[in-house]
Amino acid sequence: MTRTLVVVGHGMVGHRLVEALREKDVTGQWRVVVFAEETRPAYDRVALSSYVDSWDAESLSLAPHEDDAVVLHLDDKVVHIDRDNKVVRTTKGRAQPYDALVLATGSVPFVPPVPGRDLPGCHVYRTIEDLDGIRATVESARAAGRHAGMVLGGGLLGLEAANALRGMGISPHVVELGPRLMPLQVDEGGGGLLKRLVEKLDLTVHTGTSASSIEQDGERLIAKLSNGVELDLDVVVFSAGIRPRDELARSFGLTVGERGGIVVDQACRTSDEHIYAIGECANIGGMVYGLVAPGYSMAEVVADRLLGGSAEFPGADMSTKLKLLGVDVASFGDAHAKEEGALEVVVNDAVAGTYAKVVVSDDAKTLLGGILVGDASKYTILRSLVGRPVPGDPVALIGPEGGVELSMPHDAQVCSCHAVTKQQIVDVVNSGDAVDVPGIKACTKAGTGCGSCVPMLKKLLSECGVEQSRALCEHFDHSRADLFEIVRSTGITTFSDLITRHGRGLGCDLCKPAVASILASLDNGHVLEGEQATLQDTNDRFLANMQRNGTYSVVPRIPGGEITPEKLIVIGEVARDFGLYTKITGGQRIDLFGATVDQLPEIWKRLVDAGFESGHAYGKALRTVKSCVGTTWCRYGVQDSVSLAIALELRYRGLRSPHKLKSAVSGCARECAEARGKDFGIIATENGWNLYVGGNGGFTPRHADLIASDVDTETLIKLIDRFLMFYIRTADRLQRTSTWIESLEGGLDHLRDVIVNDSLGICADLEAAMEKHVDNYADEWRGVLEDPEKLARFTSFVNAPGTPDPTISFREERGQKVPVLLGVPSVVQAEVSR
Amino acid sequence: MTPVCELSALRPDQGVAALLPDGSQVAVFLTSAGTVHALGNIDPFSGAAVLARGIVGDRGGVPVVVSPVYKQAFELSTGKCLDDPSTGVPVHPVVVTDGVIQVGSP
Ligand SMILES: Cc1cc2nc3c(=O)[nH]c(=O)nc-3n(C[C@H](O)[C@H](O)[C@H](O)COP(=O)(O)OP(=O)(O)OC[C@H]3O[C@@H](n4cnc5c(N)ncnc54)[C@H](O)[C@@H]3O)c2cc1C
Ligand code: SF4
Ligand code: FES
């Protein structure tokens, strides 16, 4: 007979229980009824902070239970348990009988009893709604030009919250009662370094103190700290720890722990044999775990028990690794050397900004734990060696490179979120079931939790001999980035020279344009000069965009979208005289369609004479820098967005890149120019500019991420110079900035390190390269008009120049001419070059 | 045979279009190996007369021109489309006499 399982709470752990049970319960012994207090199904709370990047709640969702045996009641809280009759009751008045009941109610943020803690502007940090609330407060503060915030609590979550505030353009104070940041995870040495590193990023850290009161002062909040400091704030986020939600258990007579948490045994059973508790609300072995992995283990245990198994909670690994504010922090095993006689070995490199400690047994033979700050690249491997013999001298484990070559034991856990071992991963790779990281994720779930094991997954793939080919095409084994370096360092200036020395064959439509772009990025003269002309893709070949009937469209540059009436009239006259179809583009300029090859030079002669230049709409190059009218006209503007947009467009015009580049500048946070949809977008603040990178429209639209806030114009331009040059040098062919940033090891944080903190020491070089581009810029169309040899290429027929192509004809629509469709079915391949 | 232009007017790997007396169009290519090819200029996938503007290169060692519209490759010596062998473009006979390229009908 089918029995009924009732689950209270649809958080990450409740969700996992349902998934695990449904997977294992092949004979359909259980039907499942879930009650969720939140209004949406379970989502990835671990990744909650990433919500501020997109404000898209969908991106956090977990797999829905698409299953008739599962019923999920949202927004319906369980308020009563009738243990004698085995029935629960809900706020919506439902009465649901159960055969087994699982409490997966999680926890609530602990808000210390500070006077004023309920004032508007004070928030906690746990749910999507909490973040929406914080965002609303921040936006109204920013609209008034203010951006001061405080996070109470300097633990892991507090720093995450501070980072999220920073992402919203706030400069937060972090107030921690303990003597250092992240007191649970790191020791004094690590905490000191952590403080230094995060303070470089515009955070102010106050340790050893707490808020004694919060008061309203007009629109603002005044927080008084116990050390006498007063802070003037717009937003306060409490992140002072969590408390298990054991209220149901308390009210209905289940045993709870002295310091909270529903007491369960190793089978996760409470003091009532029909009731289980799992996740953050459970107190197991005297511990309440605030991490998701132990919760998942408990869910697996209960799923097994419900089906008659005898699984027990295996204990939990409290290791953590995270990258906060661009700083790696990891702790694992017995990080604080609590074990009797444990020895600590510390390598503290103040210059490099790294701190590493390993804890070993009294005979220095067994690894017990450790702490890494600044560089946690060895985390996964060291964690896997906990409890195992130390290979050689403990210092070598954390010493500078060249130490011992560590290899991970086969039974070691690579992914602690999903308890996946190295062996399991190696198996799916060797059997061919997985050939890349997404494959491993699909087969084993490894890497789908916190994501910190993904670098290890990549490493295992290459250890198994799976090379992710980055070869450009059949003619070159190199990636675009490698070829860029080859061209840059050897000074090769022609494709034929490059392919003879580093490739094979004649080349193709993949490598030729890619190399053409590299040569152009390195300022090798006009793109149609000599052999270069034969490398150019469809549009670059005639410096115009080819349309479906073989005619071209023409887009003159209109920097920042600002144009005089005289120039508008010229465009109108040219369009009229050549019979061109005109349309306003999304990039604040005007596109003229329907020009034949031989008309192009005549059209451009008129445009160049009137002071226009190429808009590079045809190239993988900077397209436009859109702008709103900013302070000049707008009542809300805080900076002159138009002048900046024009300056940027003139600076980067003609810059060839792996893919097209778009930009925009908004004059205030209202963002009328849609800057966050651009490869680099700038939004004015009261004090300067915020720079966002990696946005785009297109197939998969993406908002750009904040990389620097409140910088002055000079700094801004330096940062953009570095960003663009770094992208041009290292991205793959046709890789937009968003996917490029994702592909960087360390992602946005790494990018910030490189271009803001100059971690690779290449910023001066990147800036010099951009300076060279700016100095060498010349209008491509003027270059054609001034060179008879290039001009001669713009003919319809070699043997009948000036004779129009007889296959082209037009009809009229809404008073303009449009192409007559050519009588063929259109066959569109994957790669269309527009 | 119709004379279309001097051989010296062609640059390696850079096609030109020519108009034949019957109104048809050819795309004429000089490869870097020094051979001259003439193919129908109309790309069968888009109907646009643009093959002469495509990139010349090789696929697995076979010399090809790639249509600038939707990027299918056509073999220079046979006109066969490598991405869809059921289609192709006509091949015109070519001779070079006294430095002048002459093109015939397919
Ligand atoms: C910002 C943030 C970052 C984090 N980062 C990490 C990390 O990097 N690594 C890590 O391991 N962990 C992290 N955590 C902790 C992790 O999210 C939790 O351990 C995990 O979500 C716990 O899952 P749970 O299902 O036990 O609780 P929850 O996810 O809190 O779910 C409990 C659900 O039960 C509902 N509920 C409660 N009472 C009732 C009732 N009576 N009736 C119906 N429904 C009820 C609640 O509304 C809630 O939706 C983070 C947490 C936060 C907030
Ligand atoms: S973004 Fe520009 S146009 Fe929009 S309100 Fe702000 S200053 Fe005005
Ligand atoms: S360790 Fe968290 S996803 Fe693998």
Side-chain angles (χ1 to χ4, degrees):
Chain A
M1 212 196 76
T2 318
R3 288 175 289 166
T4 302
L5 168 70
V6 171
V7 181
V8 186
H10 199 234
M12 298 183 74
V13 174
H15 175 270
R16 181 57 172 270
L17 169 68
V18 176
E19 291 284 287
L21 180 66
R22 291 301 304 145
E23 196 181 308
K24 291 181 177 150
D25 183 10
V26 283
T27 56
Q29 298 180 45
W30 291 93
R31 69 180 202 103
V32 186
V33 181
V34 187
F35 290 100
E37 175 192 47
E38 290 190 66
T39 52
R40 60 181 94 237
Y43 51 88
D44 186 352
R45 205 180 302 285
V46 168
L48 184 64
S49 295
S50 71
Y51 179 52
V52 308
D53 298 333
S54 62
W55 298 110
D56 174 14
E58 283 296 301
S59 66
L60 294 181
S61 37
L62 300 175
H65 312 297
E66 277 157 356
D67 191 335
D68 293 340
V70 182
V71 179
L72 172 59
H73 297 289
L74 294 176
D75 194 14
D76 198 7
K77 183 175 167 184
V78 170
V79 287
H80 186 95
I81 308 175
D82 177 350
R83 288 171 49 197
D84 296 335
N85 295 309
K86 296 205 281 183
V87 173
V88 297
R89 284 177 217 288
T90 70
T91 40
K92 288 193 176 159
R94 286 196 176 91
Q96 174 65 53
Y98 63 81
D99 296 294
L101 178 65
V102 175
L103 303 176
T105 50
S107 43
V108 279
F110 168 66
V111 180
V114 183
R117 63 186 190 161
D118 295 325
L119 287 171
C122 293
H123 299 270
V124 293
Y125 196 85
R126 175 96 192 159
T127 64
I128 289 183
E129 283 69 25
D130 292 338
L131 265 66
D132 286 336
I134 294 173
R135 182 191 190 192
T137 302
V138 166
E139 282 187 352
S140 64
R142 287 183 44 153
R146 299 189 313 248
H147 37 77
M150 168 175 82
V151 176
L152 207 67
L156 194 152
L157 271 186
L159 289 183
E160 238 188 82
N163 195 26
L165 286 181
R166 240 179 109 245
M168 295 181 224
I170 295 279
S171 333
H173 293 267
V174 177
V175 178
E176 165 60 43
L177 183 59
R180 59 178 178 272
L181 292 174
M182 294 185 60
L184 292 183
Q185 286 83 12
V186 306
D187 57 5
E188 219 181 295
L193 174 64
L194 184 59
K195 176 169 184 225
R196 279 213 327 274
L197 293 176
V198 301
E199 280 184 339
K200 277 200 206 149
L201 301 167
D202 203 22
L203 249 76
T204 316
V205 179
H206 310 260
T207 48
T209 182
S210 176
S212 42
S213 72
I214 301 171
E215 284 159 25
Q216 185 127 29
D217 174 24
E219 296 261 287
R220 314 200 69 174
L221 298 170
I222 306 285
K224 296 205 169 91
L225 303 189
S226 55
N227 63 2
V229 173
E230 258 190 39
L231 302 174
D232 193 0
L233 304 167
D234 302 295
V235 58
V236 173
V237 177
F238 287 100
S239 179
I242 51 174
R243 293 290 177 269
R245 290 191 68 173
D246 51 16
E247 67 266 14
L248 275 176
R250 277 178 202 275
S251 311
F252 300 99
L254 300 175
T255 310
V256 294
E258 212 170 286
R259 296 175 57 209
I262 309 165
V263 173
V264 296
D265 62 12
Q266 291 302 306
C268 300
R269 213 183 288 259
T270 66
S271 50
D272 177 331
E273 60 168 338
H274 302 292
I275 306 182
Y276 299 83
I278 57 177
E280 289 191 340
C281 64
N283 180 327
I284 191 163
M287 287 285 288
V288 175
Y289 294 98
L291 293 173
V292 76
Y296 280 173
S297 314
M298 293 182 225
E300 299 284 346
V301 168
V302 171
D304 181 72
R305 291 274 171 168
L306 288 171
L307 297 171
S310 56
E312 293 203 339
F313 183 63
D317 179 2
M318 295 295 284
S319 305
T320 24
K321 171 184 163 196
L322 60 159
K323 187 157 197 141
L324 278 174
L325 304 143
V327 182
D328 276 324
V329 183
S331 83
F332 54 95
D334 181 12
H336 294 280
K338 292 197 180 120
E339 180 122 348
E340 185 77 50
L343 306 172
E344 300 183 16
V345 180
V346 173
V347 176
N348 190 351
D349 185 341
V351 180
T354 61
Y355 172 91
K357 174 173 96 173
V358 285
V359 178
V360 293
S361 58
D362 51 5
D363 57 0
K365 292 230 159 65
T366 309
L367 181 65
L368 299 177
I371 292 171
L372 305 168
V373 178
D375 171 13
S377 51
K378 289 187 177 156
Y379 165 73
T380 311
I381 199 143
L382 287 177
R383 190 195 63 193
S384 76
L385 292 173
V386 168
R388 295 172 196 264
V390 176
D393 181 355
V395 187
L397 293 176
I398 47 175
E401 289 309 313
V404 279
E405 189 49 49
L406 298 172
S407 123
M408 205 178 200
H410 273 271
D411 56 346
Q413 239 181 43
V414 173
C415 176
S416 56
C417 291
H418 292 280
V420 185
T421 62
K422 174 173 170 187
Q423 188 66 56
Q424 286 169 283
I425 289 165
V426 169
D427 286 349
V428 296
V429 174
N430 286 343
S431 68
D433 292 339
V435 294
D436 51 15
V437 172
I440 296 182
K441 286 183 176 173
C443 291
T444 65
K445 291 200 182 143
T448 59
C450 67
S452 73
C453 59
V454 171
M456 196 45 141
L457 300 182
K458 287 194 189 140
K459 206 164 156 221
L460 288 177
L461 269 172
S462 64
E463 272 177 25
C464 291
V466 180
E467 276 305 327
Q468 312 281 305
S469 171
R470 301 188 63 211
L472 194 57
C473 65
E474 60 181 273
H475 304 104
F476 288 96
D477 296 330
H478 313 76
S479 66
R480 178 191 171 280
D482 294 340
L483 282 182
F484 194 102
E485 279 317 303
I486 291 175
V487 174
R488 191 162 77 96
S489 55
T490 57
I492 288 177
T493 57
T494 64
F495 178 82
S496 24
D497 200 5
L498 184 69
I499 197 165
T500 336
R501 282 162 64 182
H502 299 277
R504 65 183 85 82
L506 305 174
C508 64
D509 56 316
L510 304 179
C511 57
K512 283 188 166 181
V515 171
S517 155
I518 292 173
L519 292 172
S521 295
L522 289 168
D523 289 310
N524 279 287
H526 198 282
V527 295
L528 297 185
E529 193 62 52
E531 186 199 62
Q532 277 195 58
T534 68
L535 310 177
Q536 305 298 345
D537 213 342
T538 313
N539 294 338
D540 282 306
R541 179 78 167 263
F542 291 93
L543 306 182
N545 294 53
M546 185 189 280
Q547 305 299 337
R548 59 189 310 158
N549 64 347
T551 61
Y552 289 89
S553 72
V554 168
V555 186
R557 186 169 296 290
I558 301 178
E562 186 187 76
I563 186 164
T564 60
E566 286 68 30
K567 281 187 149 181
L568 264 181
I569 289 168
V570 170
I571 291 184
E573 285 172 348
V574 167
R576 188 192 55 210
D577 296 352
F578 290 88
L580 304 174
Y581 167 95
T582 53
K583 189 163 191 320
I584 310 289
T585 73
Q588 300 184 339
R589 43 194 196 171
I590 300 170
D591 207 339
L592 311 172
F593 289 80
T596 57
V597 177
D598 36 313
Q599 283 178 330
L600 288 172
E602 300 166 37
I603 292 172
W604 272 106
K605 169 110 188 29
R606 295 264 301 267
L607 293 171
V608 169
D609 285 347
F612 285 104
E613 50 182 30
S614 167
H616 291 96
Y618 47 80
K620 305 291 180 231
L622 178 85
R623 296 281 171 86
T624 67
V625 183
K626 281 173 70 169
S627 67
C628 72
V629 287
T631 35
T632 321
W633 292 91
C634 180
R635 285 179 291 139
Y636 301 107
V638 293
Q639 303 283 348
D640 183 357
S641 45
V642 181
S643 298
L644 180 70
I646 294 174
L648 293 178
E649 186 157 342
L650 295 179
R651 183 169 182 81
Y652 303 122
R653 65 187 163 179
L655 181 67
R656 300 282 163 153
S657 48
H659 210 307
K660 62 186 170 193
L661 284 169
K662 297 185 173 183
S663 176
V665 185
S666 278
C668 81
R670 285 176 184 77
E671 242 285 68
C672 296
E674 297 165 334
R676 289 196 66 195
K678 304 296 175 199
D679 294 283
F680 59 105
I682 298 101
I683 300 178
T685 69
E686 197 80 337
N687 308 315
W689 307 100
N690 281 356
L691 174 61
Y692 296 82
V693 293
N696 56 248
F699 266 126
T700 22
R702 193 181 178 288
H703 265 144
D705 294 313
L706 182 70
I707 194 156
S709 35
D710 284 335
V711 292
D712 58 29
T713 309
E714 192 187 333
T715 315
L716 177 79
I717 289 175
K718 278 193 174 160
L719 290 176
I720 302 174
D721 281 2
R722 298 169 184 176
F723 168 71
L724 292 176
M725 269 302 160
F726 190 44
Y727 165 65
I728 288 171
R729 286 188 180 178
T730 61
D732 268 337
R733 164 184 169 270
L734 298 187
Q735 191 175 37
R736 287 293 294 265
T737 53
S738 58
T739 36
W740 168 66
I741 296 172
E742 267 166 41
S743 74
L744 293 174
E745 192 129 340
L748 183 70
D749 289 321
H750 173 67
L751 178 65
R752 188 180 285 119
D753 273 355
V754 174
I755 69 168
V756 181
N757 308 329
D758 200 7
S759 61
L760 299 180
I762 56 171
C763 285
D765 188 34
L766 296 175
E767 283 169 34
M770 188 61 82
E771 237 16 273
K772 184 169 163 225
H773 162 78
V774 174
D775 293 344
N776 292 346
Y777 167 82
D779 175 25
E780 280 167 0
W781 263 107
R782 181 180 287 275
V784 169
L785 297 174
E786 286 171 353
D787 179 355
E789 212 197 312
K790 291 192 187 80
L791 260 183
R793 306 268 148 210
F794 289 80
T795 43
S796 49
F797 299 108
V798 253
N799 56 349
T803 309
D805 176 351
T807 66
I808 296 174
S809 56
F810 296 96
R811 62 192 172 85
E812 213 177 84
E813 194 174 288
R814 291 183 294 278
Q816 293 204 70
K817 69 174 204 189
V818 294
V820 170
L821 286 193
L822 303 157
V824 269
S826 77
V827 186
V828 185
Q829 275 213 326
E831 200 177 343
V832 180
S833 134
R834 256 222 79 169
Chain B
M1 287 269 169
T2 310
V4 295
C5 66
E6 310 245 314
L7 180 59
S8 59
L10 290 190
R11 288 265 206 82
D13 294 344
Q14 191 169 7
V16 296
L19 197 56
L20 297 186
D22 63 354
S24 64
Q25 303 182 25
V26 285
V28 185
F29 302 96
L30 168 65
T31 66
S32 39
T35 40
V36 181
H37 298 274
L39 304 179
N41 194 29
I42 295 188
D43 165 24
F45 293 91
S46 62
V50 292
L51 273 197
R53 303 177 214 164
I55 289 181
V56 176
D58 80 273
R59 277 258 181 107
V62 178
V64 293
V65 58
V66 177
S67 163
V69 185
Y70 298 125
K71 315 278 162 153
Q72 290 87 356
F74 298 88
E75 188 173 347
L76 284 179
S77 57
T78 65
K80 206 171 73 198
C81 172
L82 299 186
D83 296 293
D84 179 355
S86 67
T87 55
V89 290
V91 182
H92 293 253
V94 187
V95 287
V96 182
T97 29
D98 298 333
V100 174
I101 300 176
Q102 317 230 22
V103 176
S105 331

PDB file of all heavy atoms in Angstrom, chain A residues 628 630 634 636-637 666-668 670-672, ligand 2:
ATOM      1  N   CYS A 628      22.908  58.483 -22.894  1.00  0.00           N
ATOM      2  CA  CYS A 628      21.702  59.257 -22.620  1.00  0.00           C
ATOM      3  C   CYS A 628      22.139  60.719 -22.564  1.00  0.00           C
ATOM      4  O   CYS A 628      23.329  61.010 -22.609  1.00  0.00           O
ATOM      5  CB  CYS A 628      21.088  58.833 -21.291  1.00  0.00           C
ATOM      6  SG  CYS A 628      22.056  59.398 -19.884  1.00  0.00           S
ATOM      7  N   GLY A 630      22.224  62.851 -20.148  1.00  0.00           N
ATOM      8  CA  GLY A 630      23.022  63.199 -18.969  1.00  0.00           C
ATOM      9  C   GLY A 630      22.760  64.604 -18.441  1.00  0.00           C
ATOM     10  O   GLY A 630      21.734  65.223 -18.716  1.00  0.00           O
ATOM     11  N   CYS A 634      19.216  66.463 -18.777  1.00  0.00           N
ATOM     12  CA  CYS A 634      18.298  65.684 -17.944  1.00  0.00           C
ATOM     13  C   CYS A 634      18.262  66.209 -16.505  1.00  0.00           C
ATOM     14  O   CYS A 634      19.298  66.538 -15.932  1.00  0.00           O
ATOM     15  CB  CYS A 634      18.729  64.225 -17.944  1.00  0.00           C
ATOM     16  SG  CYS A 634      17.654  63.229 -16.940  1.00  0.00           S
ATOM     17  N   TYR A 636      17.793  64.592 -13.908  1.00  0.00           N
ATOM     18  CA  TYR A 636      18.310  63.645 -12.911  1.00  0.00           C
ATOM     19  C   TYR A 636      19.803  63.387 -13.062  1.00  0.00           C
ATOM     20  O   TYR A 636      20.422  62.770 -12.202  1.00  0.00           O
ATOM     21  CB  TYR A 636      17.581  62.307 -13.034  1.00  0.00           C
ATOM     22  CG  TYR A 636      16.099  62.445 -12.848  1.00  0.00           C
ATOM     23  CD1 TYR A 636      15.228  62.336 -13.926  1.00  0.00           C
ATOM     24  CD2 TYR A 636      15.578  62.706 -11.577  1.00  0.00           C
ATOM     25  CE1 TYR A 636      13.871  62.477 -13.754  1.00  0.00           C
ATOM     26  CE2 TYR A 636      14.214  62.848 -11.405  1.00  0.00           C
ATOM     27  CZ  TYR A 636      13.365  62.741 -12.490  1.00  0.00           C
ATOM     28  OH  TYR A 636      12.022  62.882 -12.321  1.00  0.00           O
ATOM     29  N   GLY A 637      20.366  63.812 -14.199  1.00  0.00           N
ATOM     30  CA  GLY A 637      21.752  63.448 -14.499  1.00  0.00           C
ATOM     31  C   GLY A 637      22.722  63.890 -13.408  1.00  0.00           C
ATOM     32  O   GLY A 637      22.556  64.962 -12.816  1.00  0.00           O
ATOM     33  N   SER A 666      25.413  55.863 -19.125  1.00  0.00           N
ATOM     34  CA  SER A 666      24.196  56.459 -18.573  1.00  0.00           C
ATOM     35  C   SER A 666      24.573  57.549 -17.582  1.00  0.00           C
ATOM     36  O   SER A 666      25.511  57.392 -16.797  1.00  0.00           O
ATOM     37  CB  SER A 666      23.356  55.416 -17.840  1.00  0.00           C
ATOM     38  OG  SER A 666      22.583  54.679 -18.750  1.00  0.00           O
ATOM     39  N   GLY A 667      23.776  58.605 -17.575  1.00  0.00           N
ATOM     40  CA  GLY A 667      24.092  59.755 -16.733  1.00  0.00           C
ATOM     41  C   GLY A 667      23.667  59.642 -15.288  1.00  0.00           C
ATOM     42  O   GLY A 667      23.984  60.505 -14.461  1.00  0.00           O
ATOM     43  N   CYS A 668      22.926  58.583 -14.952  1.00  0.00           N
ATOM     44  CA  CYS A 668      22.614  58.349 -13.545  1.00  0.00           C
ATOM     45  C   CYS A 668      22.098  56.928 -13.420  1.00  0.00           C
ATOM     46  O   CYS A 668      21.990  56.213 -14.407  1.00  0.00           O
ATOM     47  CB  CYS A 668      21.586  59.353 -13.011  1.00  0.00           C
ATOM     48  SG  CYS A 668      19.883  58.939 -13.423  1.00  0.00           S
ATOM     49  N   ARG A 670      19.356  55.670 -13.206  1.00  0.00           N
ATOM     50  CA  ARG A 670      18.139  55.275 -13.913  1.00  0.00           C
ATOM     51  C   ARG A 670      18.465  54.501 -15.186  1.00  0.00           C
ATOM     52  O   ARG A 670      17.613  53.844 -15.760  1.00  0.00           O
ATOM     53  CB  ARG A 670      17.290  56.491 -14.216  1.00  0.00           C
ATOM     54  CG  ARG A 670      16.597  56.994 -12.974  1.00  0.00           C
ATOM     55  CD  ARG A 670      15.822  58.275 -13.250  1.00  0.00           C
ATOM     56  NE  ARG A 670      15.242  58.764 -12.006  1.00  0.00           N
ATOM     57  CZ  ARG A 670      15.914  59.389 -11.056  1.00  0.00           C
ATOM     58  NH1 ARG A 670      17.204  59.615 -11.235  1.00  0.00           N
ATOM     59  NH2 ARG A 670      15.336  59.771  -9.941  1.00  0.00           N
ATOM     60  N   GLU A 671      19.717  54.662 -15.664  1.00  0.00           N
ATOM     61  CA  GLU A 671      20.223  53.765 -16.701  1.00  0.00           C
ATOM     62  C   GLU A 671      19.454  53.812 -18.014  1.00  0.00           C
ATOM     63  O   GLU A 671      19.117  52.763 -18.582  1.00  0.00           O
ATOM     64  CB  GLU A 671      20.159  52.329 -16.140  1.00  0.00           C
ATOM     65  CG  GLU A 671      21.507  51.647 -16.030  1.00  0.00           C
ATOM     66  CD  GLU A 671      22.034  51.201 -17.390  1.00  0.00           C
ATOM     67  OE1 GLU A 671      22.363  52.093 -18.204  1.00  0.00           O
ATOM     68  OE2 GLU A 671      22.137  49.990 -17.601  1.00  0.00           O
ATOM     69  N   CYS A 672      19.140  54.994 -18.501  1.00  0.00           N
ATOM     70  CA  CYS A 672      18.392  55.090 -19.754  1.00  0.00           C
ATOM     71  C   CYS A 672      19.183  54.580 -20.960  1.00  0.00           C
ATOM     72  O   CYS A 672      18.606  54.228 -21.976  1.00  0.00           O
ATOM     73  CB  CYS A 672      17.943  56.517 -19.990  1.00  0.00           C
ATOM     74  SG  CYS A 672      16.798  57.058 -18.714  1.00  0.00           S
TER      75      CYS A 672
HETATM   76  S1  SF4 C   2      20.162  57.757 -17.145  1.00  0.00           S
HETATM   77 FE1  SF4 C   2      20.537  59.683 -18.222  1.00  0.00          FE
HETATM   78  S2  SF4 C   2      18.615  60.261 -19.197  1.00  0.00           S
HETATM   79 FE2  SF4 C   2      18.179  58.629 -17.722  1.00  0.00          FE
HETATM   80  S3  SF4 C   2      17.542  59.749 -15.905  1.00  0.00           S
HETATM   81 FE3  SF4 C   2      19.751  59.363 -15.679  1.00  0.00          FE
HETATM   82  S4  SF4 C   2      20.784  61.120 -16.573  1.00  0.00           S
HETATM   83 FE4  SF4 C   2      18.622  61.204 -17.184  1.00  0.00          FE
END
